[in-house]
Amino acid sequence: MNTAEYLDRLLVKYSSAFDIYQPYVIHGKEYPAYGYFFSHTEKYVLVREANMWSSDCYEHILFMKTDTVTEELLKEASDIVRDYMEPVLVRKGGEAPEPNHMYSYLTIAILSEKEIPKPIQKAIRKFRFEKGYKFNMRGFSQAHIICASMEDEAVLTNFAGRGSKKVFQRIFQEEKHV
């Protein structure tokens, strides 16, 4: 399986809950796909006007395809999270997100044709980005990095992204059973 086939299968899984945009352009560079998820929850008494609380939860996922994962690619992913996803997609250019913001997960999914080198594996596991807004009263943002290698069918994540690992591994498992 190559990265294009893997991405197609991955987008089918994500499209049930995410709005998928293909291709997606950031600062003049084109990426194969971007996904957006939004959930609104509220608690009220008897009528909606008696709202006790409400919260908005988001996830943004950017898909990248590459021949091999390099330090430059991880730097690019980090820059996208810090310079585009967090300020533009989460805060929308403001000081903080809207009042009911609970959390935003900023996910970078890197699909690689070749095996991920050992030093890069260490850098992926150590990657961390978290930002709270107004002492976390306006929620927080957290970055997830997920790398899938087609050559050895390995999936690596940072600590925060470990929850998404099963979705990526399942595609490799389904391929073996076909």
Side-chain angles (χ1 to χ4, degrees):
M1 178 176 352
N2 62 27
T3 55
E5 294 167 346
Y6 187 88
L7 178 63
D8 289 341
R9 290 181 182 200
L10 197 56
L11 292 179
V12 167
K13 292 197 178 297
Y14 272 95
S15 66
S16 64
F18 283 70
D19 294 334
I20 304 293
Y21 301 93
Q22 289 179 277
Y24 193 75
V25 178
I26 298 174
H27 302 304
K29 183 167 181 184
E30 188 174 290
Y31 296 93
Y34 161 77
Y36 170 76
F37 172 80
F38 170 73
S39 174
H40 176 79
T41 309
E42 62 185 4
K43 179 72 173 176
Y44 54 88
V45 182
L46 299 175
V47 293
R48 285 187 180 245
E49 287 76 27
N51 189 337
M52 294 172 61
W53 59 265
S54 61
S55 67
D56 296 333
C57 305
Y58 303 86
E59 184 168 355
H60 305 275
I61 183 165
L62 181 69
F63 298 91
M64 302 170 84
K65 291 192 302 188
T66 185
D67 192 43
T68 185
V69 182
T70 62
E71 285 185 35
E72 293 79 27
L73 187 68
L74 288 181
K75 171 90 170 84
E76 178 184 342
S78 175
D79 290 345
I80 288 169
V81 168
R82 295 173 201 284
D83 301 336
Y84 179 77
M85 293 177 95
E86 193 276 327
V88 175
L89 299 176
V90 177
R91 290 186 285 130
K92 296 173 182 52
E95 176 184 319
E98 70 279 350
N100 293 327
H101 178 264
M102 186 174 188
Y103 67 80
S104 289
Y105 293 145
L106 311 173
T107 305
I108 304 284
I110 302 172
L111 312 178
S112 172
E113 290 289 348
K114 296 187 177 149
E115 186 176 340
I116 301 165
K118 295 285 184 203
I120 303 299
Q121 290 180 17
K122 187 175 182 180
I124 291 167
R125 287 189 191 104
K126 290 177 94 176
F127 181 81
R128 187 165 188 247
F129 174 85
E130 287 190 28
K131 185 170 184 176
Y133 305 100
K134 299 196 175 194
F135 300 104
N136 286 357
M137 295 301 291
R138 289 262 183 110
F140 66 95
S141 291
Q142 183 180 66
H144 302 173
I145 292 202
I146 305 163
C147 293
S149 165
M150 304 304 117
E151 187 175 64
D152 60 351
E153 297 185 352
V155 178
L156 278 152
T157 70
N158 65 343
F159 184 77
R162 70 193 182 284
S164 301
K165 190 172 186 175
K166 286 183 182 178
V167 174
F168 286 73
Q169 288 174 326
R170 195 171 300 129
I171 293 174
F172 289 127
Q173 293 167 353
E174 289 170 359
E175 176 69 17
K176 290 177 184 175
H177 296 296
V178 172

